[in-house]
Amino acid sequence: MTAPLIHKSSTAPAEGPDAAAPAPPVATPGPSRERRRWSGRSRKDFVVFLAMALPNLVLIGTFTYWPLINNIYYSTLDWTLGSASATVVGLQNYVTFFTSEDASKVLGTTAVFTVITVGGSMMLGLLVALALNSKVRGTTFARSAVFAPYVLSGVGVGLVWLFIFDPGYGVLAWILRGLGQQSPQWINDPQLSLVMVIIVYVWKNLGYCAVVYLAGLQSLPRDVMEAAALDGANGLRRFLNISLPLLSPTTFFLLITTMLSSLQAFDLIRIMTPLGNGTSTLIYEAYLQAFGAYNRAGYSAAISVILFAILLIITVLQLRFVERKVHYS
């Protein structure tokens, strides 16, 4: 009799001395130890973050956001500055401003002042930066002289230029009388007073734009400019087709900073035209309403909130649409 065949499964372990021993199970680290290790590190990093950032966050919240919230609340009040009582009027202060005859004048003056000062400072600053970028003697002194007005006190600059523009005894009036001409009434004429303040503001701030543009010009890749010169492109063509597009991040930065600064210009207007004769921008109108002859603190707060909304909208629009045309190399 033959013994029955026994069929072994392929998965059965092999027998004999040459058979490989089964692999021991791989021990995986428990998730609790790994979690504890990373959680301890995360807690330490979080404590360091709080130690570094919390003082700044407290200062920003105390001196920036809390006054902003209070100002929005004050804009809903009919409150005379110094009075112990106030009446809640809701949005009436905003309605009063936009329906008043002075609203169009104030908004128009703000727009004219901002557009001309921003455009003038940036264009003249770029031209000055191109001149300062040349390798000639005295450029270091010229750069310091151009930037110096920007760091000077606005009050001091306003007083000096007020003496220059004074139609009676000013330096400009003295020069014009020597030429047989009469000095314009810079201070008394509303239109000329706005022109006077714009001239002084552009003179004071073009040094800032010039220094920033100069830094941008010195960071341009030299190989690209040399290759364009070898291809026969003249200086104007290299500037328009190469330098200016590569300076778009600098231009975008200056556009935001100078526009925010111009919309908040106060010191020169306060010194040169104390009554705001033709120079009442939004921020100066808010000052006159609160601390002038009106003492309308709630109405002044509403104008300040309107200015804040305009600043926010302009910044968002610039970041949303203008930045698309910026070329980051």
Side-chain angles (χ1 to χ4, degrees):
M1 255 179 101
T2 60
L5 295 177
I6 302 175
H7 298 279
K8 296 184 179 179
S9 174
S10 60
T11 58
E15 297 180 357
D18 297 334
V26 179
T28 57
S32 58
R33 180 180 302 177
E34 189 75 17
R35 189 180 300 112
R36 284 197 301 269
R37 187 179 67 179
W38 283 106
S39 62
R41 183 182 301 177
S42 300
R43 284 197 298 269
K44 183 178 179 180
D45 293 341
F46 184 70
V47 171
V48 174
F49 167 77
L50 285 181
M52 300 293 291
L54 189 59
N56 293 326
L57 295 176
V58 171
L59 291 175
I60 293 174
T62 303
F63 295 102
T64 301
Y65 293 107
W66 181 247
L68 174 62
I69 295 172
N70 278 339
N71 192 75
I72 296 174
Y73 168 70
Y74 292 148
S75 67
T76 63
L77 303 177
D78 181 10
W79 177 37
T80 302
L81 190 65
S83 176
S85 60
T87 304
V88 178
V89 294
L91 301 178
Q92 184 59 42
N93 288 324
Y94 299 94
V95 175
T96 302
F97 173 76
F98 285 110
T99 56
S100 64
E101 297 179 356
D102 295 335
S104 59
K105 296 180 181 179
V106 172
L107 293 174
T109 302
T110 303
V112 171
F113 179 83
T114 302
V115 170
I116 297 180
T117 54
V118 170
S121 299
M122 292 181 64
M123 287 189 294
L124 292 177
L126 179 58
L127 294 177
V128 172
L130 291 173
L132 296 178
N133 196 37
S134 58
K135 296 181 179 180
V136 295
R137 278 189 172 185
T139 53
T140 303
F141 173 77
R143 293 170 186 175
S144 302
V146 167
F147 187 71
Y150 179 73
V151 298
L152 294 177
S153 169
V155 175
V157 170
L159 290 174
V160 171
W161 277 94
L162 192 61
F163 173 73
I164 295 175
F165 279 107
D166 189 276
Y169 56 85
V171 176
L172 184 58
W174 179 77
I175 295 175
L176 291 176
R177 281 196 300 267
L179 299 175
Q181 302 292 327
Q182 293 292 329
S183 175
Q185 297 296 318
W186 297 99
I187 301 174
N188 300 322
D189 191 334
Q191 294 182 351
L192 292 179
S193 61
L194 180 61
V195 174
M196 174 183 66
V197 174
I198 288 175
I199 292 174
V200 179
Y201 190 86
V202 171
W203 174 83
K204 186 179 186 301
N205 289 273
L206 70 88
Y208 167 74
C209 297
V211 169
V212 176
Y213 267 129
L214 180 61
L217 288 171
Q218 292 179 345
S219 65
L220 295 180
R222 296 181 179 271
D223 53 350
V224 177
M225 306 299 294
E226 293 173 356
L230 292 176
D231 289 340
N234 55 25
L236 180 60
R237 189 173 181 181
R238 290 199 303 270
F239 172 73
L240 295 177
N241 296 337
I242 300 176
S243 299
L244 202 58
L246 291 178
L247 285 174
S248 57
T250 306
T251 303
F252 179 67
F253 169 77
L254 285 174
L255 182 64
I256 293 180
T257 56
T258 55
M259 185 169 293
L260 296 179
S261 177
S262 295
L263 284 169
Q264 300 176 81
F266 176 79
D267 47 4
L268 289 177
I269 300 176
R270 176 67 179 87
I271 295 300
M272 303 188 72
T273 56
L275 300 179
N277 187 21
T279 59
S280 290
T281 57
L282 274 170
I283 190 169
Y284 197 67
E285 182 68 15
Y287 166 79
L288 291 176
Q289 292 293 333
F291 303 100
Y294 306 100
N295 294 331
R296 303 167 65 184
Y299 186 70
S300 172
I303 298 177
S304 301
V305 174
I306 294 171
L307 175 60
F308 169 75
I310 292 175
L311 291 171
L312 181 62
I313 292 172
I314 290 176
T315 305
V316 171
L317 291 178
Q318 288 176 332
L319 294 174
R320 180 67 177 84
F321 298 103
V322 180
E323 195 178 13
R324 292 181 178 180
K325 300 182 180 180
V326 176
H327 172 72
Y328 294 100
S329 57

